[in-house]
Amino acid sequence: MAAGRNCFILSFPYVFTIAALVLAIFVIIGNLEDHGILSRLYFMRLNTQDLSITVESTTIAATVVDPSFPDFYQVGLWNYCQGTISGDVYTVTNCTTPHGLFYFNPISIIEERLGISDIQNVPSEVNDALNAVRVVSYVMIILYCVSAIFIAMEFIAGFFSFHSRGGSLCTLIISLLALACLVVSTALATALYYVEARAFNDANSTLGTTASTNTTTFGIAWGAAAAAVLATIFWFFSICCGSTRSSRKNEVIYHPVDNPGMHQI
């Protein structure tokens, strides 16, 4: 009975640990391909179809400088992709090579693409939003990777929870570390790209850009964080309510004792 109860109790944190790991992996590998489901898992999309730039006091459309200039850019954890827009259909044409320490600065990317050293009509709000991009992106990448490692360790450590309360405590500590890394990294991503998207939307009158964050990706990211929270709660519950001691330790074994009097005639 005790073993069955332990299995039942420990099944809950395991389910949420697996869910957190799978969802976190989807966020981590999003935008790595220019087709399929991964191409739809990005943090932010920047529409540059009507981009206008001012160079040496002259304002021109980006497509005048480069007729094949992308209609949009979208960014993931490791790279960015670009593509074309036809009506309401966004088609990713190619993605950059994933980079270990990646950050997305679209103004620098546009300047490099057009061969321009300085776009003069970039509003201060956009520059302010981009100032923290590098540091925040680096921290976000590190924390997402560390959180995935901790969740995988949590899954493995969970097997020891069936045998001892010490194993359950160890798993709980790992779970707390995974939760902290996952929540902080997701909060950083949400804040970073929300602020960046708002800055480019506010710059629509000067740059002609619009931007949006991807509710699907952030839904998955916060879903992973929620699953990690529930996993941590149930790991704690398993320590309080799950009996991890072997029932054999509590058994009292009786041995028959010979009565000397029984052998007397």
Side-chain angles (χ1 to χ4, degrees):
M1 291 294 292
R5 183 185 64 182
N6 290 345
C7 288
F8 177 74
I9 291 173
L10 292 172
S11 66
F12 287 97
Y14 256 112
V15 168
F16 289 113
T17 298
I18 294 171
L21 181 60
V22 171
L23 293 175
I25 288 174
F26 270 112
V27 175
I28 291 171
I29 65 175
N31 206 59
L32 287 180
E33 294 183 351
D34 58 7
H35 62 279
I37 189 173
L38 294 185
S39 67
R40 297 192 291 272
L41 295 178
Y42 56 89
F43 288 120
M44 186 190 76
R45 176 178 281 165
L46 178 64
N47 188 326
T48 56
Q49 200 171 23
D50 299 318
L51 176 67
S52 297
I53 58 172
T54 300
V55 181
E56 296 180 356
S57 302
T58 303
T59 301
I60 55 175
T63 51
V64 173
V65 181
D66 182 358
S68 62
F69 191 81
D71 291 336
F72 72 91
Y73 292 96
Q74 64 183 41
V75 55
L77 193 64
W78 310 99
N79 67 336
Y80 70 87
C81 299
Q82 59 190 35
T84 59
I85 304 174
S86 178
D88 294 329
V89 178
Y90 289 75
T91 303
V92 177
T93 54
N94 66 285
C95 299
T96 59
T97 303
H99 193 277
L101 290 176
F102 166 77
Y103 68 98
F104 182 64
N105 187 327
I107 298 301
S108 297
I109 293 170
I110 292 169
E111 288 175 342
E112 183 178 354
R113 172 72 187 242
L114 298 177
I116 297 170
S117 59
D118 182 32
I119 298 176
Q120 298 172 349
N121 60 327
V122 178
S124 59
E125 292 82 1
V126 172
N127 286 324
D128 291 341
L130 295 176
N131 282 338
V133 165
R134 177 181 294 189
V135 175
V136 175
S137 296
Y138 288 175
V139 173
M140 188 174 68
I141 289 172
I142 292 169
L143 287 178
Y144 263 124
C145 292
V146 171
S147 68
I149 293 171
F150 274 135
I151 296 172
M153 291 173 59
E154 177 185 343
F155 178 81
I156 296 171
F159 287 104
F160 297 97
S161 300
F162 288 93
H163 305 292
S164 70
R165 293 190 186 277
S168 296
L169 180 60
C170 242
T171 306
L172 176 62
I173 293 172
I174 296 172
S175 177
L176 286 168
L177 293 172
L179 172 61
C181 292
L182 194 55
V183 168
V184 172
S185 57
T186 302
L188 286 174
T190 304
L192 173 65
Y193 290 111
Y194 172 79
V195 170
E196 193 170 337
R198 186 177 63 179
F200 277 104
N201 284 328
D202 291 343
N204 178 262
S205 59
T206 53
L207 285 174
T209 55
T210 58
S212 61
T213 54
N214 190 351
T215 55
T216 300
T217 301
F218 284 108
I220 293 173
W222 283 111
V229 170
L230 291 172
T232 301
I233 291 172
F234 279 111
W235 284 124
F236 178 76
F237 183 76
S238 71
I239 296 176
C240 299
C241 303
S243 175
T244 55
R245 295 180 180 178
S246 174
S247 60
R248 291 185 61 85
K249 293 182 179 180
N250 297 322
E251 291 180 356
V252 179
I253 302 174
Y254 296 93
H255 296 282
V257 179
D258 291 336
N259 188 344
M262 295 294 293
H263 296 283
Q264 296 177 0
I265 299 178

